[in-house]
Amino acid sequence: MKSTIPDTGVPITPSAANGSDRQEASLHGEILLRLRDYVVEGNIPDGARVPERQLCEMFGISRTPLREALKVLAAEGLIELLPNRGARVRQLSQRDLEELFDVMAGLESLAGRLACEAITDEEIAAIEQLHYEMYGHYLHRDMHGYFQANQRIHESIVAAARNETLKTAYANFAGRIRRVRYSANFARKRQRWAEAMREHEAILDALRRRAASELSDILFQHLRNKRMAAIEHLGEPQGDVSAAP
Amino acid sequence: MKSTIPDTGVPITPSAANGSDRQEASLHGEILLRLRDYVVEGNIPDGARVPERQLCEMFGISRTPLREALKVLAAEGLIELLPNRGARVRQLSQRDLEELFDVMAGLESLAGRLACEAITDEEIAAIEQLHYEMYGHYLHRDMHGYFQANQRIHESIVAAARNETLKTAYANFAGRIRRVRYSANFARKRQRWAEAMREHEAILDALRRRAASELSDILFQHLRNKRMAAIEHLGEPQGDVSAAP
DNA sequence: GGCGGCTATTTTGCATTCATTTTTTGTCCT
DNA sequence: AGGACAAAAAATGAATGCAAAATAGCCGCC
């Protein structure tokens, strides 16, 4: 039998008794969470078929709840469902990525604006803390630590917006590009890195002054620059990753 | 047999052979579209149960594709799924509405920003056209016409952003509040109306000058004001509409 | 030897069926 | 009479079964 999930050689394992012990009442709910992670983590190559049968065995369930989860993931934009031809991991074109980054930029820009209305001094202090932490990683050229601190800063801003709807939407879009971000961020140029640090200082400054529309602008530009840095280096390996001879 | 869809006395009709003749290849896809409309149009009271069985008969299908559609609608935030207790039309609290309006404001603000980068003179002219049309409705106190022209203006701005992802997200959130908007808009005060007209002129002005961040600000404020106008009058009939003695 | 058409197998889409859980109804007891 | 409990009815959640479509394998043909 020829596996339909190609090449990777990665054996299909059910996310190994998921680390985060969240639990869903319904089966389809759990499957949804697990399958989403499975896709987001990149266990299935871009554009590859997602055979129902195999996933059913992998999760040890019947096709009904799995198909329900697939429909939801399709609605979220992570996979696409071709009529009578099954589900495929959605292949994001460069254009798609640009669009996604811009929407993320818009959401963060909004988050900043809203945060200015409600953020407390303590929250700002916490973000400053993260900022210094990030600066330390920057000095030590610790990309991974830097990336994490960076992410936490942005999440803090979103949290300070006091808008669960926004937070959910943000998480959703973040999930869609996570696959790409993993690979993209490690290609960041040194120069861009320094630039990003300066931008972050401006962000913090605007936040302290609660300058809503200014912060909104800065955040948008910051994310726009991020988009450039993340996408330009992609070049053309857009088609099939495994296609390179 | 007592119908679970209460009170309204509205007989369940299958969206009367849907006017828009869009067609989906798959059954669940069509059901999704029809059911979404059915809910958005307010055929089911807030918080009421959405009985699978009844809907199946109504659409003439089995439960499988219907349940798939329900899962998607739940993911979209239109309904909520209580474990073992079926689907309910999601009841939006006042806070939910505020959040939704703010997110919409953020998206439109983003749309304006992006539109400044790519909009053509022809598109601006078309929006001006709509603006004058809307002004006419305003003068004639034609609320319905005004509302439609207004909506088309905002849609035009979103379209000019050249971002399908944004467009989709926008449509999604718009759908969630449409139920409320119908009732909310008719309560608009005269004064707010005039204010909105002025804001629209400022929008047009900024758009002509391609002043991205300025337009972004104006659009956000415009939507924020809309939010106030739409929500304040809601007062307290937030709980159960049918609860008033 | 390559290509096009035909059949067999797999896979998808939906309906149906089965097992639980919830909700309702009826009855009994206080 | 009212409330609590219990059994019946209905609804939900998931599995299985079946028809249609797609993929692949195969053979004949050019």
Side-chain angles (χ1 to χ4, degrees), chain B residues 59-111:
Chain B
F59 289 119
I61 55 161
S62 89
R63 285 174 53 216
T64 311
L66 183 95
R67 296 181 97 259
E68 291 170 350
L70 286 175
K71 299 287 182 300
V72 173
L73 291 186
E76 288 177 6
L78 245 97
I79 64 177
E80 52 190 351
L81 261 34
L82 297 105
N84 288 324
R85 302 167 93 232
R88 288 179 134 66
V89 173
R90 181 153 170 213
Q91 179 127 323
L92 296 174
S93 69
Q94 178 151 346
R95 179 67 202 144
D96 288 332
L97 282 177
E98 288 170 6
E99 291 193 3
L100 273 170
F101 264 94
D102 276 353
V103 172
M104 290 283 288
L107 292 181
E108 281 212 36
S109 160
L110 168 66

Side-chain angles (χ1 to χ4, degrees), chain A residues 49 52 63 67 84:
Chain A
R49 267 180 86 153
E52 292 182 5
R63 285 175 51 213
R67 295 183 98 257
N84 289 323

